[in-house]
Amino acid sequence: MNFKSSAIWKSDLFLIAALFSIVHLVHFAILLSVELYMSSAERPFLFDWYSMLTGFSNALSLNALVAAVLIFLQLVGLNNSAGEWFRAGKMLCLTLPVAPLLDFIFHIANFKRYTGFKNSFSAEISVLSRISEVIIPGNFGGVVDVTLGHRILFVALSLINAGFILKYTRSYIKSMTVLVASYVSVCAVIGALSPSDVPPTTILKNLVGLPVAAWAANVFLIRRIQIKQTSASEA
């Protein structure tokens, strides 16, 4: 692989990483604003730097893991067009702040009262039960309560993933498979790894390594794809 082609895929990764970081900041700022608004309107909200930093770190880890899973599905689904993964990646990043913004709009419009996120962990509740409730609301008696804005976001992310697969492969089967896999994957991450009733540092300790490992696998695939495409073009 020559220097030019190497620089291209590295610049794509840097662009996605930078965009994701900026968008996550925007997402967290909107989410925090919604919580602060609710504290003055309906319920108390304890603000301190420790809680904000741990909350930010947990959300960053979860969002990075979700992004890694969705990009992995893109790389697999696109197959010979996998070099276009970064186009979908940009769209996925830009969609992230939609969730808390929609929740706020729904609340002030009296369409859906904002009650926040809840994911209760206990010995009596299996991981599969929590995941199934994220996939199908009310499937296990309200153990997991995902806001409407975030449910819409899960669907939107899945549609974006499937849409890019359809655009570049023209395969409805692949597109529908990625659509379902994307939605189930996002729900699985949220249901299994985002408890709301345990100390945030406990979540962070158990979660922080997963997005790193997932993105390491993605980087390996992206590099391998670039080498393959470069070799084919030089042949």
Side-chain angles (χ1 to χ4, degrees), residues 82-194:
E84 303 296 334
W85 69 272
F86 70 96
R87 299 183 188 277
K90 288 188 287 186
M91 286 296 296
L92 292 170
C93 287
L94 292 172
T95 310
L96 187 59
V98 166
L101 189 59
L102 283 177
D103 283 327
F104 182 68
I105 293 172
F106 291 153
H107 184 88
I108 62 175
N110 293 318
F111 177 73
K112 174 68 175 178
R113 182 172 175 268
Y114 179 82
T115 56
F117 169 77
K118 181 186 77 172
N119 187 0
S120 302
F121 274 51
S122 72
E124 294 79 23
I125 306 166
S126 69
V127 174
L128 287 178
S129 296
R130 290 195 298 271
I131 292 173
S132 67
E133 179 146 339
V134 181
I135 295 173
I136 307 173
N139 198 34
F140 199 72
V143 170
V144 184
D145 186 10
V146 180
T147 66
L148 180 58
H150 280 84
R151 290 198 181 278
I152 293 174
L153 174 65
F154 298 165
V155 175
L157 292 174
S158 304
L159 287 172
I160 290 170
N161 242 18
F164 274 89
I165 297 296
L166 183 61
K167 177 180 179 180
Y168 288 102
T169 67
R170 299 299 178 186
S171 171
Y172 288 97
I173 295 177
K174 278 188 177 182
S175 180
M176 289 304 299
T177 301
V178 169
L179 175 65
V180 174
S182 296
Y183 182 73
V184 171
S185 297
V186 173
C187 291
V189 170
I190 299 301
L193 299 172
S194 61

Side-chain angles (χ1 to χ4, degrees), residues 194-226:
S194 61
S196 59
D197 57 350
V198 300
T201 50
T202 301
I203 306 171
L204 189 59
K205 287 177 183 177
N206 295 325
L207 182 62
V208 68
L210 291 176
V212 175
W215 271 105
N218 279 353
V219 170
F220 173 79
L221 280 177
I222 292 167
R223 182 175 181 276
R224 184 178 176 184
I225 288 164
Q226 186 65 53

